[in-house]
């Protein structure tokens, strides 16, 4: 029995764990019962950062980098480091601004989505135009 094919699942499990952390953060932020929920939402984003860091390293260690993994990682980054922090910041300090606060938080999410889309398009070309930058994620 060849276990080599099962190695491809490992990095994707780490990526999906990052998505799950983003979802937990979004759920806690949306409930917004108080400061404790927002604190736990922020912790979920931090745990997502751990899983996001580990998925690439596991993929390189097991030599299982794939196109699916790269695209899944980008979607995970958008959820965990775009939507989750945007909603967290909105619930924490922008709700008093009404629709303007929603606009500012949404602008953050849109900027992250555009950056990830640009990175994905450029990474598929034969020439490179810079490195991936995660400074927007925190």
């Amino acid at each position: 029995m060849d276990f080599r094919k099962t190695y491809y699942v490992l990095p994707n499990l780490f990526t999906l764990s990052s998505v799950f952390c983003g979802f937990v953060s979004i759920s806690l932020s949306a409930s917004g019962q108080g400061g404790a929920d927002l604190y736990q939402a922020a912790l979920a984003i931090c745990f997502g950062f751990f899983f996001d860091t580990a998925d690439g390293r596991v993929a390189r260690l097991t030599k299982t980098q794939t196109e699916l993994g790269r695209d899944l990682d980008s979607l995970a980054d958008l959820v965990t480091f775009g939507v989750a922090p945007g909603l967290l910041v909105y619930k924490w300090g922008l709700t008093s601004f009404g629709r303007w606060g929603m606009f500012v938080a949404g602008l953050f999410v849109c900027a992250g989505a555009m950056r990830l889309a640009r990175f994905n398009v450029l990474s598929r070309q034969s020439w490179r135009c810079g490195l991936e930058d995660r400074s927007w994620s925190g």
Side-chain angles (χ1 to χ4, degrees):
M1 181 173 205
D2 184 22
F3 287 107
R4 179 80 178 137
K5 291 182 182 180
T6 60
Y7 291 160
Y8 285 93
V9 174
L10 268 174
N12 291 334
L13 288 176
F14 278 92
T15 305
L16 291 174
S17 297
S18 176
V19 172
F20 183 73
C21 289
F23 176 75
V24 167
S25 175
I26 291 167
S27 298
L28 288 169
S29 294
S31 69
Q33 299 299 324
D37 280 348
L38 296 178
Y39 176 74
Q40 289 175 349
L43 280 178
I45 293 171
C46 292
F47 279 109
F49 180 73
F50 164 75
F51 287 119
D52 185 55
T53 302
D55 68 356
R57 292 180 188 210
V58 169
R60 284 187 292 280
L61 279 171
T62 58
K63 294 181 175 63
T64 55
Q65 296 133 320
T66 63
E67 294 286 321
L68 173 72
R70 179 173 50 189
D71 290 342
L72 183 62
D73 187 58
S74 289
L75 289 172
D77 288 349
L78 181 60
V79 170
T80 308
F81 306 119
V83 177
L87 183 60
L88 176 66
V89 168
Y90 173 72
K91 287 293 206 169
W92 176 68
L94 297 176
T95 53
S96 61
F97 294 105
R99 295 202 188 269
W100 283 107
M102 210 181 301
F103 176 76
V104 169
L107 200 61
F108 176 78
V109 175
C110 291
M114 285 297 293
R115 188 200 64 78
L116 284 168
R118 181 178 179 270
F119 174 76
N120 285 341
V121 168
L122 292 177
S123 68
R124 284 177 172 72
Q125 296 175 353
S126 60
W127 51 273
R128 301 281 186 214
C129 184
L131 297 173
E132 181 178 6
D133 178 29
R134 297 210 176 167
S135 62
W136 66 275
S137 64

